[in-house]
Amino acid sequence: MPEAQPHTQDKASKPTARPSPVPSTAQEDQALMARIAAQDKAALRPLFDRYHRQIFHYLCRFTRDHGMADDLANEVFLEVWRKAGSFQGRASVRSWLFTIAHNKAVSQFRKQRGTALDDETANRIEDTAFTPHETVQARDTQRVLRACLERLSDKHREALELVYFQDLPLKDVASILAVSENTVKTRVFYARQKLCEIARAQGLDRGWP
């Protein structure tokens, strides 16, 4: 008598469950902004946790003052709470935060200097010679690179910060800085060129990537 064949379930007849799509960071940010605009205070915290450190480091490089950068970073999120309803989604929430941070820093400089930042000041490239004390402190490669970045002009350093360190799209960087995309490209080009010169002068064999 033939053996009974084991019963096998037709796999094709069993529906395959599809995992629910995971929302992207951009979608999560948009949802948080909608909640903040509706005065949901709990929605501000996850946005703060996600971006405060990035905004703070950006402002540190912009202002060269940790205390000021910390104050301005906190002001950025207060501004988000007050003006969330005005966010129109033309750029990412992240880019919008950097726009607010940039404007806060520029406004602070204008208050301190009593005048608007002019092109002559923005175009100024500082002396690239390190003092002996700075050279001793900057022996580590990362410290040297950070010190080299500090030697760039404000506009060149900020362009590099937004494009390379923050990885923002060129169109968003152009919007933040209120310049054309070609201007951003030009600033990044000359910033990289200048950074390579400074790095080589400080004994770094490898230039800016």
Side-chain angles (χ1 to χ4, degrees), residues 30-112:
Q30 293 273 1
L32 289 172
M33 286 300 300
R35 289 171 55 193
I36 294 170
Q39 300 295 290
D40 182 353
K41 292 182 179 180
L44 188 60
R45 186 70 205 186
L47 198 70
F48 180 93
D49 290 341
R50 179 173 291 168
Y51 293 118
H52 179 269
R53 186 177 181 83
Q54 296 176 34
I55 295 295
F56 170 73
H57 284 301
Y58 162 70
L59 288 168
C60 278
R61 290 193 177 97
F62 194 125
T63 65
R64 308 184 190 187
D65 184 322
H66 282 214
M68 183 189 299
D70 188 46
D71 290 341
L72 291 176
N74 290 329
E75 287 184 21
V76 167
F77 289 92
L78 288 175
E79 192 82 356
V80 169
W81 174 253
R82 290 193 294 261
K83 296 187 176 180
S86 67
F87 175 70
Q88 299 178 355
R90 294 174 182 171
S92 67
V93 173
R94 183 168 178 262
S95 294
W96 188 59
L97 292 175
F98 277 99
T99 299
I100 296 174
H102 170 80
N103 292 338
K104 290 282 184 186
V106 170
S107 177
Q108 182 65 28
F109 277 127
R110 286 174 176 169
K111 290 177 183 177
Q112 289 184 335

Side-chain angles (χ1 to χ4, degrees), residues 89-173:
R90 294 174 182 171
S92 67
V93 173
R94 183 168 178 262
S95 294
W96 188 59
L97 292 175
F98 277 99
T99 299
I100 296 174
H102 170 80
N103 292 338
K104 290 282 184 186
V106 170
S107 177
Q108 182 65 28
F109 277 127
R110 286 174 176 169
K111 290 177 183 177
Q112 289 184 335
R113 298 177 184 180
T115 182
L117 296 176
D118 53 41
D119 290 338
E120 182 180 355
T121 301
N123 283 317
R124 175 175 51 81
I125 301 293
E126 296 182 12
D127 181 13
T128 61
F130 283 144
T131 66
H133 179 65
E134 286 175 324
T135 302
V136 170
Q137 289 187 326
R139 286 176 179 173
D140 176 79
T141 300
Q142 291 185 349
R143 289 184 180 180
V144 172
L145 285 175
R146 285 197 296 268
C148 289
L149 284 169
E150 291 300 313
R151 301 290 174 166
L152 297 176
S153 69
D154 291 341
K155 69 174 187 178
H156 289 142
R157 186 175 64 255
E158 186 176 20
L160 275 182
E161 168 69 21
L162 293 171
V163 172
Y164 284 101
F165 290 98
Q166 302 302 336
D167 197 26
L168 292 174
L170 280 176
K171 65 181 182 65
D172 289 357
V173 176

